[in-house]
Amino acid sequence: MTSKPRGPGTRAARGGEKRKNALDAVTQPIVCTSTYAFDGTAEIRDHFEGRIQREEYGRYGNPTVRTAERKIAELDGAEDCVLFSSGMAAATTALLALLKSGQHVVMTSDCYRRTRQFVSTTLPRWGIDHTFVEPGDYGALEAAIRPGKTRLVLAESPTNPYLRVVDLPRLVAIRDRHPGVKILIDSTFATPVNERPIGFGVDLVLHSATKYLGGHNDLLAGSLSGKASLISGLRDLRGVLGAVLDPHAAYLLLRGVKTLDLRVRRQNETALRVAGWLEAHPRVERVFYPGLESHPDHDVAARQMSGFGGVVSFQVKGGLDDASRFIDATTLPIIAPSLGGVESLIEQPALMSFYELTTAERLAIGISDNLVRLAVGIEDADDLVADLGNAFATSA
Ligand SMILES: *Cc1c(COP(=O)(O)O)cnc(C)c1O
């Protein structure tokens, strides 16, 4: 029997959960244990010889974490998923698992700063080379692939902070011309509600579950989803490197992710409204939001995404101090790094992530001093727009 795949709301609320839990609980219990008891040595043999599936030791698996992994796999439309203690633990474990000395990775330049740092300063110590390419330049991306050496193309979509969207069918077509290359998409900003890269043929999908999947600014976690054969190797390396998710955090993640579809739809709606409002505001120089026709990747986003996400970046007219005064005059968004939770967060990338650089150095990597990043939460759009309007009025 084939039936229509379940929608993201159903997958979020119900996916991956066993129908009957211990003590008849409707929710997944927090299994708080570091190790698991065997009935006798015969069971140990059965376990190691693959006749039974069971847990062994906390670094290799935990039922609470496993339930969250099954739920995220279902949301991503993937065969399997493995969770880590943070998004960076997922990213670094994937890079270490997929690359070895003498190999090469191609990566888009507009991306999470710490991933970029790991690729450009840590991987070279193990003889792994890299090339950064501008998002949207598919010619440069394909030209950067070194036959027999390049094993991975890593891209975020949408990117941080300019919300560039990678054309996934185009990227997959490039990969298919170069045997041995895999694609890893950091889909943190998209969430499985707005885009499911696995369905386009992408090999591996990463989420900083700290952001939308958790959704409440109360945990750190990271996930990798893909084919079971690929995930199994990543799970093995996690067991060695040890960046496992604590079962308490896994429970918070499970609880948070149940409302993912509701939250993200609301955030899509609010962000689109705020972006349009900002674009018409006389104090705003430029807005970056893939839902706006003015965004360079609007067409790509409209083709492959079902929503444009909850992050809006914009330049306030003036310089560093004008943007800072505007941010300080807001009262509803909280001034903090991160995104994806129920609370709106606002930040100035030039200060938050790139403070040690000069204005010229920041511009060289594309970060303008007057850039503001607003990650909308689930507050009422009317209240957010009113607060931003008031902040422009009082900071002029
Ligand atoms: C936050 C973030 C990460 C890192 O995730 P942590 O959970 O903070 O380790 C990676 N990629 C993107 C796009 C992010 O926003």
Side-chain angles (χ1 to χ4, degrees):
M1 188 189 83
T2 54
S3 54
K4 196 173 173 302
R6 290 176 159 184
T10 310
R11 295 189 205 192
R14 305 288 295 279
E17 307 213 10
K18 299 267 199 241
R19 272 227 299 295
K20 195 129 192 181
N21 272 318
L23 309 174
D24 298 323
V26 168
T27 52
Q28 167 63 51
I30 302 172
V31 181
C32 203
T33 187
S34 59
T35 190
Y36 303 87
F38 287 80
D39 275 344
T41 52
E43 197 181 1
I44 299 178
R45 286 169 203 254
D46 285 344
H47 170 61
F48 281 106
E49 288 164 18
R51 283 185 294 277
I52 55 166
Q53 290 289 318
R54 51 153 293 153
E55 300 295 359
E56 177 194 332
Y57 180 69
R59 190 159 18 78
Y60 309 131
N62 173 282
T64 315
V65 176
R66 199 70 198 102
T67 303
E69 289 172 342
R70 284 196 303 266
K71 191 184 280 292
I72 295 169
E74 224 175 293
L75 278 162
D76 277 329
E79 285 178 13
D80 202 2
C81 165
V82 56
L83 274 164
F84 296 85
S85 52
S86 71
M88 279 315 297
T92 53
T93 304
L95 288 161
L96 290 174
L98 297 173
L99 296 162
K100 63 180 185 190
S101 174
Q103 294 182 339
H104 173 249
V105 53
V106 178
M107 187 172 164
T108 50
S109 53
D110 190 27
C111 72
Y112 192 69
R113 186 170 159 242
R114 298 297 177 196
T115 313
R116 201 187 145 108
Q117 179 185 338
F118 185 75
V119 166
S120 61
T121 66
T122 305
L123 289 185
R125 290 166 47 201
W126 285 291
I128 298 162
D129 209 356
H130 61 275
T131 307
F132 289 120
V133 296
E134 283 293 307
D137 190 346
Y138 298 92
L141 192 147
E142 187 156 15
I145 294 177
R146 304 178 189 165
K149 295 227 182 271
T150 306
R151 285 303 155 114
L152 188 69
V153 175
L154 167 57
E156 278 176 32
S157 190
T159 63
N160 177 30
Y162 290 108
L163 293 318
R164 298 298 308 265
V165 179
V166 172
D167 187 330
L168 295 177
R170 210 163 158 184
L171 193 61
V172 166
I174 292 174
R175 177 205 58 196
D176 290 346
R177 290 196 283 275
H178 299 275
V181 176
K182 285 191 168 54
I183 302 173
L184 166 55
I185 295 288
D186 181 336
S187 199
T188 299
F189 276 50
T191 82
V193 173
N194 288 334
E195 184 173 278
R196 285 179 291 283
I198 299 282
F200 290 89
V202 162
D203 300 286
L204 209 50
V205 168
L206 183 147
H207 298 288
S208 166
T210 309
K211 316 293 170 49
Y212 291 96
L213 297 187
H216 294 75
N217 291 319
D218 57 2
L219 64 91
L220 287 162
S223 70
L224 291 166
S225 297
K227 285 221 162 64
S229 53
L230 192 54
I231 296 302
S232 147
L234 297 166
R235 193 183 297 286
D236 288 348
L237 187 57
R238 180 190 67 176
V240 176
L241 296 179
V244 291
L245 188 63
D246 180 86
H248 294 89
Y251 180 82
L252 283 177
L253 175 56
L254 270 170
R255 180 174 165 137
V257 93
K258 288 181 194 195
T259 55
L260 179 73
D261 188 59
L262 288 172
R263 288 185 281 106
V264 170
R265 282 168 191 266
R266 165 88 163 210
Q267 285 163 312
N268 287 341
E269 242 174 66
T270 304
L272 185 59
R273 162 129 181 250
V274 167
W277 179 84
L278 285 167
E279 197 164 50
H281 199 282
R283 292 276 308 285
V284 174
E285 188 176 301
R286 184 163 173 200
V287 182
F288 303 88
Y289 186 68
L292 296 178
E293 281 180 21
S294 57
H295 192 278
D297 300 322
H298 175 67
D299 291 346
V300 177
R303 273 202 304 277
Q304 70 185 36
M305 300 180 78
S306 48
F308 301 109
V311 177
V312 184
S313 296
F314 56 100
Q315 289 161 325
V316 172
K317 279 185 187 161
L320 190 77
D321 294 341
D322 300 278
S324 295
R325 267 201 304 281
F326 164 75
I327 288 173
D328 289 336
T330 62
T331 63
L332 192 51
I334 298 166
I335 301 173
S338 203
L339 56 122
V342 295
E343 296 93 356
S344 291
L345 304 182
I346 195 164
E347 65 134 329
Q348 190 169 1
L351 295 183
M352 195 63 89
S353 311
F354 302 95
Y355 187 69
E356 68 278 11
L357 306 185
T358 65
T359 296
E361 285 169 334
R362 284 195 286 259
L363 267 182
I365 53 166
I367 302 298
S368 63
D369 281 352
N370 60 353
L371 187 70
V372 176
R373 190 185 77 184
L374 173 67
V376 307
I378 61 165
E379 303 92 341
D380 291 283
D382 283 347
D383 292 334
L384 263 175
V385 166
D387 193 62
L388 297 175
N390 192 51
F392 278 125
T394 58
S395 67

